[in-house]
Amino acid sequence: MLVIMKNDASQEQVKAVIHQIEKLGYRGIPIPGLQRTAVCIVGNQGYVDDSQIMPLDGVKETIRVTKPYKLVSRETHPQPSTIKIGEVTIGGKTPVIMAGPCAVENEEQALTIARLVKQQGAQVYRGGAYKPRTSPYSFQGLGEEGLKILARVREETGLLIVTEATDFDNIELVEQYADIIQIGARNMQNYALLKRAGHTRKPILLKRGLAATIEELLMSAEYIMSEGNSRVILCERGIRTFADTTRNTLDISAIPSIKEVSHLPVVVDPSHAAGKREYVIPLSRAAIAVGADGLIVEVHNDPPHSISDGRQSLYPDQFANLMKEIQGISFKV
Ligand code: PEP
Ligand code: MN
C-alpha cells in the first residue's frame, strides 16, 4: 500500500505516518516526489487496514499496490527515475555508454582501452576484477589489484567505474573502488548479496539472470531497494533460448516491458547477448531505438588475445563506429 501525503504535508507528519505504520508491524519507506511525498508500506503479507493511517494529519489518500514488487513499481513512483553519479545521469535524455574489457588484465591494457573509449565518448568504464567464470580453471580476475588499476583508470581519464562484486566477501572491497557495483547474471538471485547491495551507498547495476523472467528481475531489484538503496539500474543481457547462433538471445521486448511497470532505468549489454562482435552494433542500434537508457559494451585493444570474452569484444574502430551509429537514432521520443 502507498500512503499519499498532501502537497503541503510537513516532515513531522510524514514521520508520524511512518511511526504508525511501524506500530502496525510493517515498515514505511518515504518516497519523495516532485509533486507529492508518498510512504510505501512494505513487509505486509496481504491486506493492510488503513483505518489508523487515513485519519493522520497530512494524509491525502491510500492506494493499493497491485504488483508483488512495490518500490520498483511505477505505481509507487510514476515518473522514470534518474540516477546521477558525478556528471553522469542514467535514465535521462541521452543514453549513457559504458565500455571496456570483460576483465582487467593489467594496467597497460586497462588504460589503453580506457583512453580509446573515453576518446569516443564513453562515460563509464567497465572491467571485471572479480570474474564469474563457467570453468574454475579459467582466469578468475586480478582481485584487489584489478580494483586498484580501475582506480587509476578513473584518476587518469575521469571515467566512472562499473565493476562486479561476485560474492558477499568481495562486495565490501568493490564498493570502496567502484562508482557503480555490478551484480552479474549468475548472481541475480543471490539474495544475501542483493540485501548487502541494499546497504551500500553506491548505485547497483543488476543484470538479468540467464533464465529469469522480468518479474523475477524486478523482485531482485526490490530486494536491493527494500534494504534502502534506491539507485538500481537494470540490465538486459540476453537470456537462454533454443536459438543457437548467438550466445544468448537479446530480449529486446524486455526494455518496453520493464518500462511499462517500473520506473528504474534499463541498460542493454549487447556483448553477452550476442557472443559475437559482429552482432554487437546491430543489437546496440536496436537497444537504443527501443528506449534503452544506455549500453554496456565489451571493447578490447587486442580481442584475439583477450583473456576473456575476446570473441564478443569490439575492436576500437568498431566501437568508434558504434558511437557514430547510435548518434543518429532518435532516443526517447
Ligand atoms: C560481465 O559483464 O562480464 C559478465 C560476466 O556479465 P553477465 O553476468 O551478464 O554474464
Ligand atoms: Mn564478459
Side-chain angles (χ1 to χ4, degrees):
M1 179 182 282
L2 265 186
V3 182
I4 310 294
M5 303 300 294
K6 290 180 185 156
N7 287 355
D8 58 355
S10 66
Q11 282 304 316
E12 280 64 40
Q13 290 170 340
V14 174
K15 273 193 198 139
V17 166
I18 294 172
H19 185 66
Q20 181 59 35
I21 292 168
E22 285 168 358
K23 265 174 64 183
L24 294 169
Y26 314 124
R27 278 169 57 213
I29 301 183
I31 302 168
L34 280 181
Q35 269 111 43
R36 57 163 210 203
T37 291
V39 180
C40 185
I41 300 180
V42 296
N44 56 303
Q45 296 300 332
Y47 177 79
V48 175
D49 176 7
D50 66 1
S51 62
Q52 291 176 67
I53 297 170
M54 273 309 289
L56 296 177
D57 289 341
V59 172
K60 183 173 167 218
E61 59 182 332
T62 58
I63 298 175
R64 303 216 168 267
V65 179
T66 55
K67 300 276 195 275
Y69 41 85
K70 302 191 186 306
L71 300 168
V72 162
S73 165
R74 263 197 200 265
E75 292 176 290
T76 304
H77 192 295
Q79 297 304 318
S81 280
T82 53
I83 296 176
K84 288 196 174 55
I85 315 155
E87 310 274 279
V88 176
T89 301
I90 301 172
K93 287 225 173 323
T94 41
V96 170
I97 308 304
M98 313 180 189
C102 180
V104 177
E105 298 170 20
N106 55 62
E107 183 167 332
E108 196 195 330
Q109 170 252 17
L111 275 168
T112 304
I113 299 168
R115 289 175 196 129
L116 287 163
V117 299
K118 162 96 182 177
Q119 200 188 9
Q120 298 303 328
Q123 290 150 296
V124 182
Y125 186 75
R126 65 143 293 147
Y130 296 95
K131 293 304 304 174
R133 303 303 298 277
T134 303
S135 164
Y137 308 119
S138 300
F139 175 62
Q140 304 285 310
L142 294 180
E144 188 169 8
E145 180 49 30
L147 295 174
K148 287 185 177 155
I149 292 173
L150 288 169
R152 283 197 279 277
V153 164
R154 174 175 43 222
E155 214 174 294
E156 189 194 302
T157 63
L159 290 164
L160 297 175
I161 302 296
V162 57
T163 192
E164 181 165 351
T166 49
D167 59 42
F168 199 87
D169 294 332
N170 59 34
I171 186 167
E172 194 171 332
L173 206 52
V174 170
E175 76 183 332
Q176 289 169 31
Y177 289 90
D179 297 295
I180 305 172
I181 303 171
Q182 175 171 322
I183 294 194
R186 291 155 192 81
N187 267 320
M188 189 204 84
Q189 288 182 314
N190 180 340
Y191 298 120
L193 187 61
L194 296 175
K195 285 188 191 173
R196 175 61 182 77
H199 293 158
T200 173
R201 293 168 64 93
K202 298 283 166 78
I204 306 295
L205 182 94
L206 177 64
K207 295 186 113 184
R208 181 177 179 186
L210 275 71
T213 64
I214 303 257
E215 186 162 301
E216 286 163 344
L217 171 64
L218 295 175
M219 292 307 289
S220 291
E222 187 80 12
Y223 262 91
I224 301 169
M225 291 187 74
S226 70
E227 295 293 327
N229 188 353
S230 58
R231 300 204 295 164
V232 180
I233 305 150
L234 301 172
C235 179
E236 161 60 36
R237 47 76 75 205
I239 47 171
R240 280 273 161 85
T241 68
F242 57 83
D244 59 1
T245 57
T246 50
R247 182 172 174 183
N248 292 287
T249 298
L250 182 66
D251 180 6
I252 206 78
S253 313
I255 297 97
S257 303
I258 294 171
K259 286 186 170 287
E260 187 184 349
V261 295
S262 176
H263 56 92
L264 295 177
V266 186
V267 303
V268 166
D269 174 346
S271 309
H272 290 87
K276 297 176 185 166
R277 74 178 67 83
E278 52 274 33
Y279 300 164
V280 169
I281 292 181
L283 293 183
S284 299
R285 286 197 302 251
I288 298 300
V290 83
D293 295 295
L295 300 172
I296 177 162
V297 187
E298 287 183 343
V299 180
H300 201 283
N301 56 327
D302 183 10
H305 295 105
S306 168
I307 299 184
S308 77
D309 286 348
R311 182 67 186 87
Q312 68 197 29
S313 298
L314 294 181
Y315 284 91
D317 60 336
Q318 289 180 305
F319 180 66
N321 284 341
L322 183 155
M323 292 301 280
K324 281 194 202 94
E325 294 210 18
I326 60 171
Q327 287 298 321
I329 300 171
S330 74
F331 180 70
K332 295 202 175 164
V333 277

